[in-house]
Amino acid sequence: MGKGFMTYASAVILRAISNGYLYGFDIIDITGVPGGTVYPALRRLEEAGYLVSKWEKQSISQSEPRPQRKYYELTRAGREALAEAIKRYRLLEQPQLQRVREPKTSRA
Amino acid sequence: MSQPPRRKRFLKRPHLALISLLGVIVPRRLRADWRQEWQAELRHREELLAKWDQLNWHTKLDLLRRSTSAFWDALWMQTYRWEDAMIQDLRFAVRMLLKQPGFTVIAAFTLAIGIGANITIFSIVNSVLLRRLPYPKADRLVFLWSESNTQNIKEKPTAYGNISEWREQNNSFEDLAFFDPTSVTLTGTDEPEQVMSVHASASLFSLLGVAPALGRTFTDDEEQQKVRIAVLSHSLWQRRFGASPGVLGQTLEIDGVTSEVIGVMPEHFQFPENNSDIWLPHTLIPNWETQKAQRGAGAWRVIGRLKEQVSSEQAQAEMSTIAQGLEQAFPDLNKGLGISVVPFQLQLTGSNVRLALWTLFGAVVFVLLIACTNVANLMLARSIAREREMAIRIALGASRLRLIRQLLTESGLLAILGAAGGLLIASWSIQVLLRFSPLSIRDLDKVAIDAKVLAFTTVVSLLTALLFGLAPALKISQAHPGIALKEGRSASGGVGSRRLRSLLVITEFSLAVLLLAGAGLLIRSFMQLQRVDFGFDPQNVLLLQTAPARNSPADQWCFFYQQVSDRIAALPGVVAAGLTEEIFISGNPDGPITIERASADSSEPVRIPFRRDVISGDVFQTLRVPLHTGRFFNAQDNPGAAPVSIINETMARRFWASNQEALGQRFKLGSGQSRNPWLTIVGVVGDMRRQSLERESIAQIFLPYLQIPERRMNLLIRTTSEPTQIAAAVRNEIRAIDKTVVISRSSSLESRLADDVAQRRFQTWLLTLFSVIALLLAAVGIYGLIHQSVALRTREIGTRLALGAQPRDVLRLIVGQGMSLAFCGIGVGLLAALGLTRVLTNLLFGVTATDPTTFIATPLLLLLVALLACYLPALRAARVDPIAALRHE
């Protein structure tokens, strides 16, 4: 995808991630964007350099125990693109998207 | 991380199992990461909800449903495949195919022919046999027929008395409906129009499950009260009322009687025929009161809707019991009368069309198999050349599976090329087929390449790729790197591969025998049929139907037809003209006939298949039917004179020793007590095959028009030149006599008869075409094998020649090698053909399924072709220069 243009769905997803919704399901729940759109969009955003993914440290997953988690974070480019998108899509400021989530478990 | 045993984990957490499963389609490079990411996400979700074991089913299902999103993700991952092994294979395959354009073109073309033939025939099968009927739950609809077991007559309509018994006694059907397709004349406008009408029981529409597009259909009460109402077809509504929504309540003059339009059916409703135009309450049929009381066979066709749990076999069993009961209760009219239950779809297409189409379909599958064998052969031949390449690959560490995959990718690509070509060929050949197709096959005009056909194409091409690709791939991957690299060439190109290729050629030949034998039988049938005489001369005869208005008195009809005969006979270019009630016989008419015998007790009625027609004028002279004895009708055979008849030879032979003996004898239609008059035989004419060229003539009885006037008659006119040229003149003459007369479209008798043979010609032509393709492919196959074996054995042949072998010996050696394969294949094929052609029995005419001519000619033809295919490369071998051959390599 070109850097200059971002779809509304992509912007919503970036917004959700920046607010701490780190999983596809959470993003689906909070945004209402269907799963068939969210996952491809995540991959695309990562390709475009707006997101980076990081695997959590193995020690954390082993202490729980649970499978290792992969977290997405906004890159600088991602934050800029989001700021740009917020200007364009006023709807992004709706309250439910603004709600910031406290991570339930410790981050990597 | 600690993980419980795998299976247990899957059972307990189906959503995690789903992720593992979906991971299979994710590119392998990314698979582990992908699975872990998803499993972590799902586990996180679980934790948010609660502990898994405490979740209720609803939440569990919801979680499972959500984890299907992983599927979209996995799909998105496919784009990462570009650098994958698969794409590498694909790119390599494209390069390989481009490097050898000759091989690629021949292989793709062979496959295209095979696949194209399959698509063509499948699209016909699809639209004729597999198309869904436009009625809800149409598989529950069946036809019910009376059948006479003693006379071997199937599918007879039934009398009302029997139908009402069926209705009361059965437990198998939700409902029964009955109908009788006839025709009526729409009068009251300038141009009277004859339309196909259907007298039907009110239950017909609800039983079929079709609601009118406009208005309503009739009710039981209206039927009982004989209210004059009509339901129109969509096309009649457009034609006659300009598709006006105000048609309801308007009136229509049907056969001179005013009826009210109460409904219009939807466009797709074509029952029972696609030209049915008007549906009327069954009680409005002219002789309803007498029909009502009748039992046994009759005029009504019956259709039923099976109950949910009842199969048509169960219904058949129950109806047979009911038939036996009726036979006991009313022995005189139900004697030997059974009931047959025929599924609607089967009824529509007819068992012979069905058989013919499946036969053709079988044939094209064989053609495709042969094409596959050929391509497999080509690939094997090529594999010898590629042995070195494969050996290097193996030496460098490629696994066997990896090689097979690479080779299958190449075959897959070829198959795709073949399928694309096949689609092109099919779209073209369907057009050609439709132009030459017989009209008698229902829905043939709707043949097209639709989604189902495309799906079929995909499946077929995938199967094809496996079929022709697997054997060579397995073979080639067995190459032993040591040997292949050391020798430089031809390690296994000798024994193993050649044995496989020989087997393929044998297979090809046996398949070709099967096809040729089938085609041969059909060709022989067709030739037999060409020799059959109609019993009349259809050349230069014009045929058209006329009918004066129904409300005109009968003596006026006589006058009208007299005038028509006279005036048309006087037209220039007309040799003779005559009128007959019907020229073609449809269905299986039969009935009792009583012959007057000297002793009264031998005058028992005999039930035989016969057809009775009223004729006028020079019918026999027009059709050039020979008069064996006696005389034709003349003006003295009028109402005042004794009733007379002319019979055909079959009838004369049935009851008397000779034609002469029949002359002057008397018989009557029906039983001896019937009020029908005794008819004196005044002439015996030759038999006419009026049902079909393929069916023996039944007894035919002709009555003079003056004694029994009929309203609707067929006009037959023999002309000196092309008959359709005078059609307009004939029409004008009739109009000049009476403007209100209905005149049907005229056609030449020959063209009408052509339809009769068309279907047979169609299937014979197609099967012949397919078997010729098969023959050519088999010839190419054996040629290729021998050709290559000669190339590989050049050195050996050179040695033989150097040691004193004569070119003749070499020729014999090579041809012998090829012919032994051909013999094997033909032997196997003949055995299979003897078994399989039995299926064709119903499609044959005048030959048996084991016709010796066919079964001798077919192998001979194949042997000849094989000989030719072997001889050419053998000739090359015999001309080998021993010196050059020994230096070779």
Side-chain angles (χ1 to χ4, degrees):
Chain A
M1 75 196 285
K3 296 241 173 192
F5 179 74
M6 193 188 289
T7 61
Y8 177 67
S10 302
V12 166
I13 291 165
L14 277 188
R15 179 68 164 162
I17 291 174
S18 78
N19 285 350
Y21 296 91
L22 300 175
Y23 284 104
F25 287 168
D26 294 342
I27 298 172
I28 294 168
D29 279 352
I30 200 75
T31 60
V33 179
T37 309
V38 166
Y39 294 102
L42 279 176
R43 308 281 173 211
R44 268 202 308 274
L45 288 169
E46 192 179 357
E47 288 238 301
Y50 293 147
L51 291 176
V52 284
S53 58
K54 280 183 189 159
W55 288 101
E56 72 181 339
K57 283 186 187 142
Q58 207 163 11
S59 54
I60 300 175
S61 70
Q62 266 168 1
S63 65
E64 295 261 337
R66 52 175 170 71
Q68 240 178 318
R69 282 181 181 165
K70 193 180 183 184
Y71 294 114
Y72 290 94
E73 271 174 18
L74 262 65
T75 58
R76 222 179 96 113
R79 276 193 297 275
E80 282 167 11
L82 180 60
E84 189 75 18
I86 289 174
K87 278 187 221 150
R88 212 146 40 100
Y89 300 115
R90 310 304 301 179
L91 265 174
L92 285 176
E93 283 164 22
Q94 62 184 284
Q96 64 162 10
L97 282 176
Q98 297 286 356
R99 213 164 59 219
V100 175
R101 159 101 150 268
E102 286 305 313
K104 199 183 171 211
T105 48
S106 58
R107 303 268 304 267
Chain B
M1 81 197 106
S2 69
Q3 282 192 349
R6 232 177 153 187
R7 188 178 299 162
K8 212 170 164 190
R9 197 163 48 108
F10 280 2
L11 283 178
K12 281 185 82 176
R13 296 193 151 82
H15 52 295
L16 295 186
L18 189 75
I19 295 303
S20 297
L21 195 71
L22 282 173
V24 173
I25 65 165
V26 174
R28 188 182 288 174
R29 200 158 46 85
L30 309 166
R31 198 173 293 160
D33 274 6
W34 185 87
R35 276 193 179 138
Q36 192 157 28
E37 182 183 353
W38 268 96
Q39 274 163 6
E41 171 157 353
L42 287 171
R43 287 289 287 275
H44 162 72
R45 186 75 196 176
E46 267 177 42
E47 274 169 35
L48 285 186
L49 288 166
K51 280 281 165 252
W52 174 258
D53 297 335
Q54 291 145 22
L55 292 184
N56 63 21
W57 268 112
H58 188 75
T59 330
K60 279 183 182 176
L61 274 179
D62 184 57
L63 198 57
L64 191 62
R65 187 177 61 78
R66 281 156 163 279
S67 52
T68 53
S69 296
F71 176 65
W72 298 110
D73 194 25
L75 274 189
W76 163 251
M77 288 288 203
Q78 301 302 319
T79 54
Y80 290 93
R81 277 190 183 276
W82 192 243
E83 312 91 59
D84 254 30
M86 196 179 109
I87 297 295
Q88 275 176 22
D89 281 355
L90 213 56
R91 279 194 285 200
F92 187 75
V94 170
R95 278 213 302 275
M96 281 309 289
L97 294 181
L98 286 179
K99 225 167 78 181
Q100 291 182 304
F103 163 81
T104 308
V105 167
I106 290 176
F109 184 65
T110 310
L111 289 175
I113 289 180
I115 295 178
N118 268 274
I119 300 173
T120 309
I121 298 301
F122 178 77
S123 56
I124 296 180
V125 167
N126 176 38
S127 62
V128 177
L129 300 186
L130 306 179
R131 190 171 293 278
R132 285 171 45 135
L133 293 164
Y135 310 108
K137 291 192 187 159
D139 58 320
R140 302 270 87 202
L141 294 174
V142 294
F143 272 80
L144 293 105
W145 298 97
S146 292
E147 63 175 6
S148 166
N149 303 320
T150 48
Q151 294 162 74
N152 195 22
I153 297 174
K154 306 241 178 287
E155 305 195 349
K156 285 151 68 88
T158 309
Y160 179 76
N162 273 24
I163 299 173
S164 41
E165 296 282 352
W166 296 359
R167 257 185 151 164
E168 277 164 30
Q169 294 183 27
N170 88 80
N171 290 313
S172 303
F173 295 95
E174 277 176 15
D175 199 2
L176 293 181
F178 52 94
F179 61 96
D180 180 21
T182 45
S183 67
V184 292
T185 308
L186 300 182
T187 47
T189 51
D190 289 345
E191 176 86 357
E193 186 188 1
Q194 191 179 349
V195 297
M196 297 311 294
S197 63
V198 185
H199 286 90
S201 64
S203 52
L204 181 72
F205 304 97
S206 59
L207 184 133
L208 290 174
V210 181
L214 213 63
R216 59 182 183 91
T217 56
F218 36 85
T219 63
D220 287 329
D221 285 345
E222 285 169 325
E223 281 192 324
Q224 295 313 313
Q225 292 154 23
K226 293 194 181 185
V227 184
R228 296 211 165 263
I229 43 183
V231 176
L232 309 187
S233 76
H234 193 268
S235 90
L236 183 65
W237 174 52
Q238 290 191 316
R239 217 161 59 221
R240 196 104 183 165
F241 292 94
S244 148
V247 65
L248 301 179
Q250 287 197 28
T251 58
L252 196 64
E253 213 171 273
I254 301 171
D255 282 334
V257 184
T258 307
S259 298
E260 186 190 338
V261 177
I262 58 163
V264 176
M265 294 310 285
E267 197 170 358
H268 65 81
F269 186 77
Q270 302 176 336
F271 187 91
E273 299 291 335
N274 48 13
N275 59 354
S276 303
D277 264 336
I278 192 163
W279 292 268
L280 307 163
H282 71 273
T283 47
L284 296 185
I285 207 146
N287 51 355
W288 171 244
E289 290 308 323
T290 49
Q291 276 216 21
K292 205 169 154 180
Q294 280 168 4
R295 288 190 176 280
W300 300 100
R301 285 138 214 253
V302 184
I303 183 169
R305 185 175 275 282
L306 292 167
K307 283 183 185 162
E308 276 308 321
Q309 310 299 334
V310 183
S311 72
S312 75
E313 288 78 20
Q314 287 167 328
Q316 174 67 67
E318 193 197 10
M319 294 316 285
S320 295
T321 319
I322 292 177
Q324 281 164 16
L326 287 175
E327 199 175 339
Q328 279 161 16
F330 312 97
D332 49 337
L333 283 160
N334 281 294
K335 194 156 174 284
L337 215 56
I339 304 171
S340 69
V341 176
V342 187
F344 198 152
Q345 182 85 52
L346 197 67
Q347 182 76 42
L348 269 190
T349 41
S351 58
N352 258 11
V353 170
R354 188 165 277 264
L355 178 61
L357 281 180
W358 284 126
T359 304
L360 285 176
F361 193 57
V364 289
V365 169
F366 284 163
V367 169
L368 185 61
L369 280 179
I370 294 179
C372 283
T373 324
N374 249 359
V375 175
N377 234 331
L378 273 176
M379 295 195 72
L380 273 175
R382 215 173 54 128
S383 74
I384 295 169
R386 285 178 73 180
E387 224 159 43
R388 228 183 128 91
E389 173 203 332
M390 292 300 151
I392 293 173
R393 284 168 174 256
I394 292 175
L396 290 178
S399 71
R400 196 170 159 211
L401 204 68
R402 192 70 191 67
L403 285 188
I404 294 180
R405 205 172 130 186
Q406 159 74 50
L407 289 167
L408 279 184
T409 310
E410 280 176 41
S411 348
L413 212 57
L414 265 183
I416 290 173
L417 278 180
L423 272 177
L424 272 180
I425 290 180
S427 61
W428 171 80
S429 61
I430 287 173
Q431 299 305 316
V432 176
L433 276 190
L434 290 190
R435 196 165 304 160
F436 294 106
S437 64
L439 298 166
S440 52
I441 299 181
R442 201 180 158 103
D443 284 339
L444 202 54
D445 51 327
K446 295 184 191 129
V447 173
I449 294 181
D450 59 9
K452 233 195 264 173
V453 175
L454 286 178
F456 171 80
T457 311
T458 315
V459 171
V460 161
S461 42
L462 285 179
L463 280 179
T464 320
L466 265 185
L467 258 179
F468 73 76
L470 205 54
L474 287 175
K475 194 79 217 157
I476 205 171
S477 62
Q478 277 169 353
H480 194 284
I483 300 170
L485 283 174
K486 226 182 287 167
E487 296 220 341
R489 57 164 286 172
S490 173
S492 68
V495 195
S497 165
R498 214 176 62 213
R499 196 170 299 149
L500 184 60
R501 296 188 61 196
S502 302
L503 202 67
L504 289 178
V505 167
I506 291 176
T507 316
E508 263 181 313
F509 267 80
S510 8
L511 289 173
V513 170
L514 268 180
L515 279 181
L516 274 178
L521 287 175
L522 282 188
I523 294 173
R524 287 264 296 149
S525 304
F526 194 69
M527 277 159 50
Q528 292 283 346
L529 199 61
Q530 298 291 40
R531 260 181 242 146
V532 175
D533 186 13
F534 274 109
F536 55 92
D537 176 10
Q539 225 186 349
N540 285 348
V541 174
L542 186 75
L543 175 68
L544 56 83
Q545 201 182 55
T546 70
R550 183 168 271 187
N551 47 6
S552 55
D555 49 343
Q556 257 180 33
W557 306 343
C558 284
F559 181 64
F560 165 73
Y561 281 121
Q562 189 60 49
Q563 274 186 306
V564 168
S565 296
D566 291 348
R567 289 179 76 152
I568 286 172
L571 277 175
V574 172
V575 180
L579 292 147
T580 176
E581 206 177 330
E582 250 341 309
I583 179 68
F584 301 111
I585 303 175
S586 60
N588 294 297
D590 78 311
I593 286 179
T594 311
I595 309 291
E596 191 183 40
R597 302 284 188 191
S599 54
D601 47 314
S602 62
S603 299
E604 277 294 301
V606 183
R607 200 178 172 103
I608 59 162
F610 81 92
R611 165 82 205 181
R612 173 213 90 134
D613 284 292
V614 174
I615 61 166
S616 157
D618 301 332
V619 170
F620 298 117
Q621 292 91 325
T622 307
L623 291 173
R624 301 207 168 124
V625 177
L627 177 70
H628 288 317
T629 184
R631 62 170 177 89
F632 291 135
F633 294 135
N634 56 35
Q636 273 74 56
D637 299 320
N638 53 33
V644 290
S645 84
I646 293 175
I647 61 172
N648 69 346
E649 223 180 332
T650 299
M651 165 104 174
R653 269 203 310 268
R654 172 70 180 80
F655 294 107
W656 294 281
S658 70
N659 294 339
Q660 260 69 32
E661 211 173 294
L663 218 57
Q665 300 284 342
R666 301 206 307 165
F667 69 94
K668 75 161 70 171
L669 304 175
S671 66
Q673 297 83 41
S674 83
R675 276 180 299 175
N676 290 335
W678 288 102
L679 302 163
T680 309
I681 298 168
V682 297
V684 178
V685 292
D687 285 341
M688 290 186 270
R689 296 201 170 204
R690 290 162 57 197
Q691 283 174 300
S692 157
L693 196 50
E694 300 183 21
R695 292 180 67 171
E696 293 280 345
S697 168
I698 57 172
Q700 292 167 21
I701 297 163
F702 303 95
L703 307 173
Y705 189 88
L706 290 178
Q707 290 181 342
I708 303 165
E710 273 290 329
R711 192 172 67 89
R712 185 176 298 133
M713 298 290 278
N714 279 291
L715 189 53
L716 294 162
I717 305 157
R718 175 166 293 281
T719 56
T720 47
S721 56
E722 172 56 38
T724 47
Q725 283 173 358
I726 68 158
V730 169
R731 213 168 260 272
N732 286 340
E733 288 297 325
I734 299 175
R735 286 259 177 272
I737 301 166
D738 187 345
K739 271 218 312 282
T740 65
V741 166
V742 179
I743 308 173
S744 76
R745 224 161 56 87
S746 58
S747 53
S748 73
L749 188 53
E750 243 181 339
S751 69
R752 292 285 297 274
L753 290 170
D755 290 348
D756 180 47
V757 209
Q759 192 192 322
R760 178 171 286 283
R761 182 180 295 138
F762 182 68
Q763 72 207 30
T764 306
W765 189 81
L766 274 183
L767 197 57
T768 308
L769 180 75
F770 294 145
S771 54
V772 166
I773 293 175
L775 184 67
L776 288 180
L777 289 177
V780 168
I782 199 166
Y783 173 84
L785 180 73
I786 301 299
H787 182 84
Q788 207 201 11
S789 119
V790 166
L792 287 174
R793 290 168 75 183
T794 310
R795 225 180 137 144
E796 176 208 326
I797 293 166
T799 316
R800 282 171 186 268
L801 287 170
L803 289 178
Q806 294 299 307
R808 200 176 60 234
D809 300 327
V810 172
L811 205 65
R812 199 180 302 142
L813 179 78
I814 302 294
V815 170
Q817 182 204 346
M819 292 311 281
S820 61
L821 296 184
F823 268 113
C824 274
I826 291 170
V828 174
L830 273 182
L831 286 181
L834 280 173
L836 260 180
T837 46
R838 212 166 302 154
V839 180
L840 291 177
T841 305
N842 274 345
L843 297 179
L844 300 182
F845 177 82
V847 293
T848 60
T850 52
D851 176 48
T853 317
T854 310
F855 276 85
I856 290 169
T858 306
L860 280 184
L861 177 66
L862 267 167
L863 280 178
L864 198 71
V865 170
L867 194 65
L868 199 69
C870 296
Y871 188 72
L872 294 176
L875 209 59
R876 227 182 57 143
R879 288 190 186 142
V880 161
D881 176 5
I883 312 279
L886 287 173
R887 278 207 202 110
H888 189 73
E889 212 168 319

